[in-house]
Amino acid sequence: MKRYLATAIISIAFMLSAPLASFAAPPPISAKEVKKASELYFDRCTCCHVTLRKGATGPALTPKKLSKKELTTDDLEAFIAEGTDGGMPGWVDDGIMSQKEANLLARFIQHPPVAPPEMSLADMKKTWRVLVPVAKRPKKPQHNRDWKNFFGVILRDAGKVAVIDGDSKEVIATLDSGFAVHILRTSATGRYFYSIGRDGRAALYDLWTKVPTKVAMVQTCTEARSIDGSKYKGYEDKLAVVGCYWPPHAVIIDGITLEPKKIISTRGYTYDKNEYHPEPRVAAIVASHYTPEWVMNIKETGFIWLLNYADIENLQVNMIAAERFLHDGGWDSTHRYFMPAANKRNTMVIIDTKTRKKAAQFKVGKIPHPGRGANWIDPKYGPVSATVHIGEMRLSVWGSDPKGHPQHAWKVVHSIDMTKFKGLGLEGGGQLFLKTHPKSANVWVDMPLNTDKKTQRSQCVFKKANITAVPVCFEVGKKGKAVHQEYNKAGDEVWISMWDNDGEVVVYDDKTLKVKKRITGLRTPTGKFNVYNTMHDLY
Ligand code: DHE
């Protein structure tokens, strides 16, 4: 509802602003079309071109820039429909948009962008609901299941979260979340799952009730991708933080009621040129185990924030200059170093949360996308970490043990071009996630955005003992895209989503690579989060 209200407000503001435009007359567009185009833009374009269209991983789309390049409506429609060499999908060619919608967007982006509404703490409080008061929640688990081996599975387009018992593989609850729910994180004790939807709706699920239950919800923004709880000793389950795309801010909320407590704007100046940016989005967040802090990627200004939550009335934020377009990332195996990707710069950044400084940054392949990454012991280089890439089929592995193996620390020790594995059909990039577990001998790699349909449906499994050897690659299912991996608590099973309207989660034995179970009837499953591994940041 809020989303539609936001697009309605944008539509009206847009119509009012159009006559003030100072550039050549943009093509006509009706108020009804603006509303539809705003929704399309929000769903498909903001990720790369951002709300105010100043550009991020995609180029700026301001009318001034478009008119300077003398791009006509037909040119823009062709880009949208067919995609670009720079990596933009062909929205019509891929069957996601109609030609009419491509034409609508082509006309829309020639008009000046209008900022969606801001959100105050009072606005957030109006959306805040405690569905089960804390006093009425159980004091101990009301079932005999091993809840630390539960998996929360994102059912993206259903706007739901499925909770699956990792032992019996039963779907024990399917709970409403927000529109295009994006990720889950657990609270420090693991008792609660937090979800965040792309529409900025956060929800809290109690895993101790007889059947997992949604116990609170709040909307802290109109667009978001990240959330995490407070993991430092003494603050377990006390607080959480939502990272927003729009409005550009982070919001500290209560950890077990979700009451919004404090808004921290991310608007400011870029780390390098000190230029004002009106829309720096919060990308990945991790919770420190050693200090009362969240480590947060501020994408467009290129800063990494250490946001201390010990005293939120006298808030301390360390802003570490890093690199622009910070996206995803995770901890090294010791949880001292945070390792995010500045994806548009083909760079990994290393933040030392002990010295509170950037420890290193180095180039990897084209558009690194680690998710939270993978950490293991390489027989030659000792503790290493790795990323896959959206822009090419490559596994980049770097040393991540500055104490024990200083000569290899923060240097790429393996850069595995997966196209060299003849006969596997590994071309075209489009990797999104990789995963391992301390008890596993394997590293699993997906490629759901690859141009080849069979490759999209496949996974490749590398051996830690000989990471450069030819991996075993196989199709996970016949429909959809094989996306995101998660281990069970014991580290001997790997769960993969087949992302499709009629989707499934496929459970593999990590040793034999044989299918143990297909959990079917799941609409658009994407990310999966095992309680134990997420609590302890095991990957
Ligand atoms: Fe994600 C993580 C943003 C598209 C599935 N995604 C993240 C994170 C960010 C992000 C900032 C890190 C959160 C953290 O660690 O705190 N994702 C974005 C986008 O902006 C983008 C590119 C486009 C968009 O408009 O959303 C995008 N993401 C996708 C997808 O298309 C995926 C495959 C399916 C979907 O749900 O839309 C997808 N993103 C995921 C998953 C994670 C994630 C499963 C968590 C990985 C993990 O193991 O932690």
Side-chain angles (χ1 to χ4, degrees):
M1 183 63 197
K2 186 92 192 178
R3 176 173 162 243
Y4 294 104
L5 190 67
T7 46
I9 293 169
I10 295 171
S11 311
I12 296 162
F14 185 96
M15 298 314 287
L16 292 174
S17 74
L20 301 176
S22 57
F23 37 83
I29 188 165
S30 71
K32 206 171 145 202
E33 285 180 315
V34 169
K35 185 169 177 295
K36 166 91 180 141
S38 303
E39 283 171 24
L40 271 175
Y41 187 86
F42 172 81
D43 285 348
R44 305 293 176 200
C45 316
T46 47
C47 64
C48 303
H49 303 284
V50 305
T51 304
L52 299 180
R53 299 195 228 135
K54 275 179 73 81
T57 42
L61 294 178
T62 52
K64 198 168 151 195
K65 186 167 168 214
L66 298 178
S67 66
K68 243 192 218 158
K69 291 197 155 185
E70 295 182 351
L71 291 168
T72 63
T73 304
D74 284 350
D75 296 333
L76 294 167
E77 185 180 329
F79 283 139
I80 297 165
E82 294 157 26
T84 65
D85 292 342
M88 183 169 107
W91 296 105
V92 176
D93 288 1
D94 290 353
I96 295 165
M97 267 183 217
S98 65
Q99 195 68 41
K100 221 171 142 192
E101 287 174 329
N103 173 273
L104 173 59
L105 270 177
R107 285 181 288 128
F108 174 77
I109 58 177
Q110 293 174 73
H111 291 256
V114 172
E118 301 292 324
M119 231 179 155
S120 68
L121 207 66
D123 294 330
M124 296 173 196
K125 281 202 174 158
K126 282 185 208 147
T127 71
W128 174 45
R129 305 273 179 280
V130 179
L131 306 168
V132 181
V134 176
K136 292 208 167 144
R137 297 183 199 164
K139 302 278 177 282
K140 55 181 192 215
Q142 301 296 291
H143 53 75
N144 295 323
R145 297 176 190 266
D146 177 7
W147 55 275
K148 286 196 180 162
N149 196 29
F150 283 0
F151 285 70
V153 179
I154 298 287
L155 303 181
R156 187 191 186 279
D157 295 356
K160 291 183 193 290
V161 170
V163 182
I164 304 181
D165 181 343
D167 295 340
S168 68
K169 320 282 186 279
E170 279 168 88
V171 179
I172 48 178
T174 306
L175 304 161
D176 285 332
S177 54
F179 161 74
V181 53
H182 208 78
I183 66 161
L184 293 174
R185 293 290 183 246
T186 60
S187 67
T189 63
R191 172 192 178 157
Y192 295 104
F193 266 135
Y194 299 106
S195 72
I196 186 71
R198 285 186 64 200
D199 60 1
R201 276 172 215 274
L204 183 75
Y205 312 90
D206 188 353
L207 305 180
W208 281 10
T209 41
K210 219 167 176 196
V211 173
T213 310
K214 183 160 95 173
V215 291
M217 54 196 273
V218 69
Q219 186 176 24
T220 59
C221 24
T222 42
E223 222 199 319
R225 298 291 184 285
S226 50
I227 191 161
D228 212 343
S230 51
K231 289 192 173 167
Y232 183 57
K233 204 163 182 282
Y235 293 86
E236 294 95 337
D237 299 10
K238 290 266 187 301
L239 295 166
V241 67
V242 179
C244 297
Y245 271 17
W246 188 273
H249 61 209
V251 183
I252 299 178
I253 57 182
D254 185 277
I256 54 171
T257 66
L258 304 193
E259 180 185 4
K261 291 193 165 292
K262 180 122 195 150
I263 305 173
I264 308 113
S265 174
T266 53
R267 287 193 172 104
Y269 292 80
T270 54
Y271 88 96
D272 47 357
K273 295 188 182 155
N274 282 269
E275 284 168 350
Y276 180 70
H277 201 292
E279 195 187 346
R281 299 174 294 173
V282 182
I285 303 177
V286 290
S288 171
H289 298 255
Y290 298 118
T291 51
E293 273 173 337
W294 292 297
V295 187
M296 303 171 47
N297 281 343
I298 312 298
K299 199 188 264 266
E300 277 74 20
T301 48
F303 281 102
I304 291 171
W305 283 10
L306 304 182
L307 177 65
N308 189 302
Y309 50 73
D311 179 1
I312 67 170
E313 289 314 309
N314 301 287
L315 204 67
Q316 286 181 30
V317 186
N318 267 54
M319 293 168 63
I320 303 176
E323 185 51 285
R324 293 190 70 193
F325 310 116
L326 297 160
H327 189 68
D328 48 355
W331 293 113
D332 75 309
S333 61
T334 67
H335 298 159
R336 169 172 171 176
Y337 298 97
F338 175 55
M339 305 181 296
N343 57 12
K344 196 67 198 301
R345 298 279 159 93
N346 305 332
T347 294
M348 296 303 300
V349 177
I350 310 295
I351 297 298
D352 183 344
T353 58
K354 198 163 171 197
T355 61
R356 318 178 70 66
K357 288 187 176 146
K358 184 170 80 177
Q361 85 178 48
F362 51 89
K363 293 277 179 200
V364 283
K366 206 169 159 199
I367 321 181
H369 194 278
R372 283 169 294 162
N375 302 307
W376 71 91
I377 315 277
D378 182 274
K380 183 165 172 203
Y381 298 105
V384 292
S385 307
T387 186
V388 290
H389 302 81
I390 295 181
E392 61 176 315
M393 193 64 83
R394 183 175 296 279
L395 177 63
S396 295
V397 184
W398 59 90
S400 51
D401 178 25
K403 215 167 159 201
H405 298 78
Q407 70 278 32
H408 306 307
W410 321 135
K411 291 188 186 112
V412 175
V413 293
H414 297 294
S415 181
I416 303 164
D417 172 8
M418 289 170 63
T419 60
K420 76 179 181 194
F421 299 125
K422 298 273 178 276
L424 294 182
L426 299 178
E427 274 142 29
Q431 305 170 311
L432 281 183
F433 300 107
L434 77 169
K435 191 60 68 77
T436 188
H437 186 281
K439 292 191 182 145
S440 166
N442 295 332
V443 180
W444 291 61
V445 165
D446 72 9
M447 35 239 157
L449 302 186
N450 192 275
T451 42
D452 174 62
K453 295 267 183 246
K454 188 174 165 198
T455 312
Q456 287 175 5
R457 296 193 293 262
S458 301
Q459 292 276 316
C460 289
V461 183
F462 290 82
K463 285 276 167 226
K464 289 179 184 173
N466 188 6
I467 199 78
T468 54
V470 184
V472 179
C473 300
F474 48 87
E475 273 182 87
V476 177
K478 288 289 169 202
K479 271 197 311 183
K481 297 173 177 166
V483 68
H484 196 249
Q485 317 82 352
E486 178 64 306
Y487 276 80
N488 62 341
K489 184 177 141 196
D492 58 9
E493 283 174 0
V494 180
W495 294 38
I496 313 285
S497 303
M498 284 309 294
W499 177 7
D500 186 72
N501 271 333
D502 180 17
E504 56 182 341
V505 167
V506 185
V507 181
Y508 284 90
D509 181 309
D510 184 48
K511 270 209 182 81
T512 62
L513 307 187
K514 294 241 159 67
V515 173
K516 283 178 85 169
K517 176 89 184 169
R518 290 185 175 270
I519 306 168
T520 54
L522 301 174
R523 185 167 166 220
T524 56
T526 54
K528 299 153 297 301
F529 304 87
N530 174 272
V531 171
Y532 185 84
N533 296 337
T534 313
M535 281 165 72
H536 296 286
D537 290 294
L538 294 178
Y539 34 79

